[in-house]
C-alpha cells in the first residue's frame, strides 16, 4: 500500500448529509476561529492606521500627508495579499489545505506582535516606518493564504446542499476578528487615556500572541479535506498538473479570475469606504473616538449574523441572486452613507456604518466564498479562488481609503459617493454575466461545467 493510500481520509471526515456532526462542527469552528484570529491581526492594523499610526510613525508630516502615508502602509498589506494567495495557493493545491493554514497563522502572529514591539519614529527615525511596512507585507502574505484555505476546509468537507453556509464561516470570522480588535482597542484607549498614543496602542498587538497559541491548538486537530486526499491518492497521474497550479490558472482559468475578482470588488470597497476612510472622516469631523470604535464593533456584530443568513439563503436561491441584492442595496446606500459619515454626528456615523457595513456588506460577504470557489476545479481551487479574492481585496479595500481621501480633499465628498457607486455597478455586471456555481460537484476537476462555460 502506498503512502498516499495510507493517508486517505478517515470515514469520519467524509462529507455527510448534515453539518451537525462532531467532525464538521470542529471543521466549521476551526475555519471561523482561525479567520477570527487572522483578521483580528489584519483589521487591528487598519484601525491603528486610521487613528494611531499617522501620529506615531508619521508625526513629522502635516496631518493630511500623515494620514495619507498611514493609509499607504495599510495598502501595502493589501498589495501583498495576492502574493500570499499565489504562494499559499500553490502549496495548498500541492501539499494540502491544512499545512498552509497552520503556516499562515504563525506568520501573522509573529508579524503582529513585532508591530506591537516596534520603536516609533521618534526613537529610531526613518527605520521605524520602513520596518512597519515590511511587517505589514508579512501580514498581507499571511492573510492572503488564510482565506482560501479556511474557505476550502469548510466547503470541501460540507455536503453539496450546504456548501454556501459552510464556506461562509471563514468570511464570518473576518468581522468577528474586526469586532474583537475594535472593542479591544476601544477598551485600551479608555483604560490608558492620554498614555494610549504613547504605549497603550501596543497592547492589542502584543495580545495577538495569546490568540495565536489558541488558534494553533485548534488548527492542528482538524483533518485534511477529503477532496484533497482524493487528489493526493492520484498524485502520480496528476503530478504535472499539481506542480504549477498558478500556471494552470493563468492559462486555463484567467477569465474566471478576472470575472470573480471584479464581482468581489463591491464587497471590499464597502469595507474600505466604511471601516477605514469613514472612521478617519468621522473622527476628523469631531465624533468621539471611542464612539466611532464601539459603533464599528456593533456593525461587525450585525455583519456576522447577516453574513451567515445570506450564505444560507444562497444555498436555496443561488449565489448570484443574493450577491445581486447586496450590490443593488449598496448602490442605493452609497450617497446617503457618505454624507452621514461626514456630517460630524455620532448618529450619522452609526446609521451609515451599521446599515452599510453591517447589513449590505454582510449580504455580499455571505455567498462570496462559495461563489468564487465553486467556479474553479479542485486541483487549482486554492490558487484560483485566492488569486481572485485577494486581488479584489487589494483593489477594493487596499487602495480605497487613499483614493477616498484624495477625492474628498480635491473634489469633495460627493466624488467619494460617485466612486463607490461606480465600483458597485461594475461588480454587479460581473456577477450577472458569470454562471451560477452552486450546482457544481466540487470533487472532480474534470466536471466543472459552469467554470468551463465561463472560460469558453
Amino acid at each position: 500500500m502506498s503512502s498516499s493510500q495510507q493517508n486517505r481520509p478517515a470515514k469520519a471526515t467524509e462529507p455527510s448529509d448534515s453539518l451537525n456532526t462532531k467532525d464538521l462542527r470542529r471543521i466549521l469552528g476551526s475555519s471561523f476561529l482561525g479567520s477570527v484570529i487572522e483578521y483580528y491581526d489584519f483589521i487591528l492594523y487598519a484601525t491603528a492606521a486610521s487613528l494611531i499610526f499617522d501620529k506615531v510613525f508619521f508625526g513629522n508630516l502635516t496631518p493630511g500627508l500623515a494620514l495619507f502615508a498611514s493609509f499607504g502602509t495599510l495598502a501595502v498589506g493589501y498589495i501583498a495579499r495576492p502574493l500570499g494567495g499565489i504562494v499559499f495557493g500553490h502549496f495548498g493545491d500541492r501539499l494540502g489545505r491544512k499545512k498552509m493554514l497552520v503556516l499562515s497563522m504563525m506568520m501573522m502572529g509573529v508579524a503582529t506582535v513585532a508591530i506591537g514591539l516596534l520603536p516609533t519614529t521618534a526613537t529610531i527615525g526613518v527605520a521605524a516606518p520602513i520596518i512597519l511596512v515590511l511587517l505589514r507585507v508579512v501580514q498581507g502574505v499571511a492573510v492572503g493564504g488564510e482565506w482560501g484555505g479556511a474557505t476550502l476546509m469548510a466547503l470541501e468537507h460540507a455536503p453539496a446542499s450546504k456548501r454556501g453556509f459552510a464556506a461562509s464561516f471563514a468570511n464570518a470570522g473576518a468581522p468577528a476578528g474586526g469586532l474583537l480588535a475594535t472593542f479591544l482597542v476601544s477598551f485600551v484607549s479608555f483604560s490608558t487615556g492620554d498614555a494610549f498614543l504613547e504605549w497603550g496602542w501596543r497592547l492589542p498587538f502584543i495580545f495577538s500572541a495569546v490568540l495565536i497559541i489558541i488558534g494553533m491548538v485548534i488548527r492542528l486537530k482538524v483533518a485534511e479535506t477529503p477532496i484533497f486526499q482524493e487528489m493526493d491518492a492520484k498524485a502520480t497521474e496528476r503530478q504535472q498538473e499539481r506542480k504549477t497550479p498558478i500556471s494552470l490558472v493563468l492559462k486555463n482559468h484567467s477569465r474566471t479570475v478576472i470575472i470573480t475578482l471584479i464581482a468581489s470588488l463591491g464587497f471590499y470597497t464597502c469595507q474600505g469606504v466604511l471601516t477605514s476612510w469613514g472612521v478617519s472622516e468621522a473622527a476628523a469631523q469631531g465624533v468621539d473616538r471611542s464612539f466611532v470604535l464601539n459603533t464599528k464593533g456593533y456593525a461587525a456584530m450585525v455583519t456576522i449574523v447577516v453574513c451567515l443568513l445570506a450564505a444560507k439563503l444562497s444555498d436555496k436561491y443561488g449565489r448570484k441572486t443574493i450577491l445581486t441584492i447586496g450590490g443593488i442595496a449598496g448602490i442605493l446606500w452609497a450617497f446617503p452613507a457618505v454624507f452621514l459619515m461626514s456630517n460630524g454626528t455620532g448618529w450619522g456615523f452609526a446609521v451609515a456604518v451599521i446599515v452599510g457595513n453591517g447589513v449590505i456588506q454582510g449580504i455580499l460577504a455571505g455567498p462570496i466564498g462559495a461563489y468564487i470557489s465553486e467556479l474553479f476545479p479542485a486541483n487549482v481551487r486554492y490558487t484560483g479562488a485566492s488569486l481572485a479574492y485577494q486581488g479584489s481585496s487589494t483593489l477594493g479595500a487596499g487602495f480605497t481609503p487613499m483614493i477616498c481621501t484624495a477625492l474628498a480633499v480635491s473634489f469633495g465628498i460627493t466624488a467619494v459617493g460617485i466612486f463607490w457607486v461606480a465600483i458597485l455597478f461594475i461588480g454587479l455586471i460581473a456577477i450577472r454575466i458569470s454562471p451560477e456555481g452552486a450546482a457544481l460537484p466540487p470533487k472532480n476537476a474534470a466536471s466543472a461545467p459552469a467554470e468551463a462555460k465561463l472560460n469558453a
Side-chain angles (χ1 to χ4, degrees):
M1 182 179 292
S2 69
S3 60
S4 60
Q5 289 174 318
Q6 290 175 338
N7 289 327
R8 293 290 294 272
K11 182 178 179 181
T13 61
E14 294 288 350
S16 75
D17 294 331
S18 171
L19 294 178
N20 191 25
T21 67
K22 180 180 178 181
D23 289 309
L24 281 171
R25 286 196 301 269
R26 178 184 295 161
I27 289 159
L28 296 183
S30 170
S31 290
F32 179 78
L33 290 175
S35 291
V36 167
I37 295 167
E38 290 265 8
Y39 281 91
Y40 164 86
D41 291 344
F42 199 76
I43 297 172
L44 173 62
Y45 190 102
T47 303
S50 302
L51 299 174
I52 302 163
F53 287 166
D54 56 329
K55 304 170 186 65
V56 173
F57 292 105
F58 302 100
N60 55 329
L61 303 176
T62 63
L65 285 177
L67 182 61
F68 189 82
S70 183
F71 281 149
T73 68
L74 176 68
V76 166
Y78 283 97
I79 293 171
R81 284 176 67 161
L83 175 61
I86 292 171
V87 173
F88 279 85
H90 173 83
F91 290 103
D93 283 328
R94 288 187 61 200
L95 305 177
R97 302 7 177 162
K98 176 181 175 178
K99 292 176 182 177
M100 295 304 102
L101 284 173
V102 171
L103 179 59
S104 70
M105 181 172 287
M106 181 63 69
M107 286 177 59
M108 177 63 83
V110 170
T112 303
V113 173
I115 290 172
L117 299 175
L118 181 62
T120 65
T121 303
T123 304
I124 62 172
V126 71
I130 292 174
I131 297 172
L132 181 68
V133 168
L134 294 176
L135 292 172
R136 182 59 176 170
V137 169
V138 176
Q139 277 195 326
V141 170
V143 83
E146 163 68 22
W147 179 85
T151 299
L152 297 190
M153 282 294 287
L155 183 140
E156 292 184 346
H157 274 284
S161 63
K162 296 180 174 66
R163 289 200 307 259
F165 184 60
S168 71
F169 276 75
N171 267 1
L179 173 67
L180 180 59
T182 300
F183 281 161
L184 190 54
V185 170
S186 179
F187 172 76
V188 172
S189 174
F190 173 78
S191 302
T192 58
D194 293 339
F196 179 67
L197 288 177
E198 183 180 348
W199 56 266
W201 66 269
R202 299 180 182 277
L203 300 180
F205 285 88
I206 297 172
F207 178 70
S208 177
V210 177
L211 298 178
I212 295 301
I213 293 172
I214 296 172
M216 292 294 288
V217 170
I218 294 171
R219 285 238 155 122
L220 289 171
K221 291 183 178 180
V222 175
E224 183 57 81
T225 74
I227 292 173
F228 179 82
Q229 293 276 20
E230 181 179 330
M231 290 195 301
D232 191 49
K234 300 175 182 178
T236 301
E237 60 187 84
R238 291 188 180 275
Q239 189 170 11
Q240 180 122 15
E241 292 181 55
R242 293 175 58 208
K243 224 170 190 182
T244 53
I246 184 60
S247 64
L248 282 173
V249 168
L250 295 178
K251 179 181 178 182
N252 301 326
H253 314 293
S254 58
R255 189 161 184 257
T256 307
V257 171
I258 294 170
I259 293 294
T260 51
L261 186 156
I262 295 172
S264 306
L265 279 177
F267 161 65
Y268 265 117
T269 301
C270 286
Q271 179 178 311
V273 173
L274 291 160
T275 64
S276 292
W277 176 81
V279 166
S280 63
E281 175 68 15
Q285 296 298 327
V287 181
D288 179 70
R289 182 177 65 196
S290 294
F291 180 87
V292 167
L293 290 171
N294 289 335
T295 301
K296 185 179 172 184
Y298 298 138
M301 291 182 184
V302 178
T303 306
I304 296 167
V305 175
V306 175
C307 173
L308 294 172
L309 177 61
K312 198 169 185 65
L313 290 173
S314 78
D315 282 326
K316 184 176 182 180
Y317 298 107
R319 322 297 184 215
K320 289 174 60 177
T321 299
I322 305 304
L323 289 171
T324 299
I325 292 171
I328 292 173
I331 290 171
L332 295 176
W333 186 244
F335 280 104
V338 168
F339 287 110
L340 285 169
M341 286 187 292
S342 303
N343 71 0
T345 66
W347 69 265
F349 177 78
V351 172
V353 173
I354 289 174
V355 174
N357 180 231
V359 178
I360 295 172
Q361 191 178 343
I363 294 172
L364 294 171
I368 200 71
Y371 164 78
I372 296 173
S373 300
E374 288 169 337
L375 292 178
F376 290 94
N379 65 316
V380 295
R381 185 172 290 148
Y382 200 142
T383 301
S386 294
L387 185 60
Y389 187 81
Q390 303 306 340
S392 72
S393 77
T394 299
L395 298 175
F399 291 109
T400 293
M402 297 173 65
I403 293 172
C404 290
T405 299
L407 288 173
V409 170
S410 302
F411 305 105
I413 59 170
T414 301
V416 176
I418 294 172
F419 165 75
W420 192 2
V421 167
I423 297 298
L424 287 166
F425 184 73
I426 293 170
L428 194 57
I429 292 174
I431 290 167
R432 297 315 304 169
I433 67 174
S434 64
E436 181 65 73
L440 281 179
K443 286 189 176 183
N444 196 327
S447 58
E451 194 278 336
K453 179 180 176 183
L454 184 56
N455 284 286

